[in-house]
Amino acid sequence: MRIHLIAVGQRMPAWVEAGYREYAGRMPPESSLHLIEVPPEKRGRKADLARIAEREAERLRAATPRGARIAALDARGRALDTPGLATCLSGWLQDGRDVALWVGGPEGLTDGARAAAEWLWSLSPLTFPHPLVRVLVAEQLYRASSIINHHPYHRD
C-alpha cells in the first residue's frame, strides 16, 4: 500500500521540504508516503474563490491514483488521537488499497471534494498553514506506523 499526500501548493520553504522528507523517509516500505503537489490557481483582487477551489479540487481528483481510498483533511472531519490513527492505518494496510490524503488550498475543499472522500480527517480544531500540514501529517503517519510496528518512537 502506498499513501499519497496530494496537496495544493508548490515551492515550499526548505524547512517544510526537510521536515516532510525526514518523516516520509522513515515510513516502512509497506506504507510508503509519497507527496504529489498540484499547482494552485492564481488569485487576484477580484478572484472567484469558489471557482478557484473547484479547479483545485479537480486537480486533486486528477492526481489521485485509480482505486485509491480518498481521505480528505478538513476541519469538519473526525479528530483522532495517535493510537486511533494507528488503528486506522492498520485497517488501511489490511485492505491493501492505496490511500490518497487530500490537502486543499487556502479556500479549503469544496463540498464536492468532501463528498468524494471516504473519510474526513481533522488534524485539530486549530487552523494550520498548509505547508505545516505536510510535516504534521508525515510525522503523525510515522508515529502511527511506529505503534503498529512496536517501535519505541511513540511514548504514552
Side-chain angles (χ1 to χ4, degrees):
M1 175 196 74
R2 295 175 70 165
I3 302 170
H4 307 272
L5 179 57
I6 306 173
V8 174
Q10 298 173 308
R11 293 186 291 266
M12 293 294 121
W15 68 267
V16 171
E17 292 179 8
Y20 172 82
R21 273 194 318 272
E22 174 69 27
Y23 292 107
R26 294 182 185 190
M27 291 294 289
E30 67 271 10
S31 56
S32 59
L33 180 61
H34 304 275
L35 177 64
I36 301 171
E37 295 179 315
V38 298
E41 280 288 308
K42 293 192 182 346
R43 287 157 171 79
R45 289 181 64 183
K46 296 183 181 182
D48 179 348
L49 298 181
R51 183 68 191 132
I52 285 173
E54 188 55 49
R55 285 186 187 135
E56 290 173 346
E58 289 168 8
R59 289 180 182 152
L60 292 170
R61 284 185 201 98
T64 301
R66 183 181 302 269
R69 170 191 316 274
I70 299 169
L73 280 89
D74 189 87
R76 300 168 206 160
R78 181 174 170 207
L80 297 173
D81 60 9
T82 304
L85 180 59
T87 299
C88 187
L89 180 59
S90 181
W92 293 345
L93 284 163
Q94 288 176 19
D95 178 59
R97 288 186 342 186
D98 281 1
V99 176
L101 299 174
W102 285 358
V103 179
E107 280 67 54
L109 296 170
T110 63
D111 290 339
R114 282 190 291 276
E118 293 181 32
W119 184 56
L120 296 179
W121 176 21
S122 172
L123 289 177
S124 167
L126 299 171
T127 301
F128 295 116
H130 284 78
L132 182 58
V133 168
R134 296 174 185 204
V135 179
L136 288 172
V137 167
E139 192 281 335
Q140 283 300 298
L141 288 170
Y142 172 66
R143 186 175 293 273
S145 74
S146 8
I147 290 172
I148 293 168
N149 294 306
H150 308 289
H151 186 279
Y153 178 77
H154 177 75
R155 293 175 176 61
D156 290 330

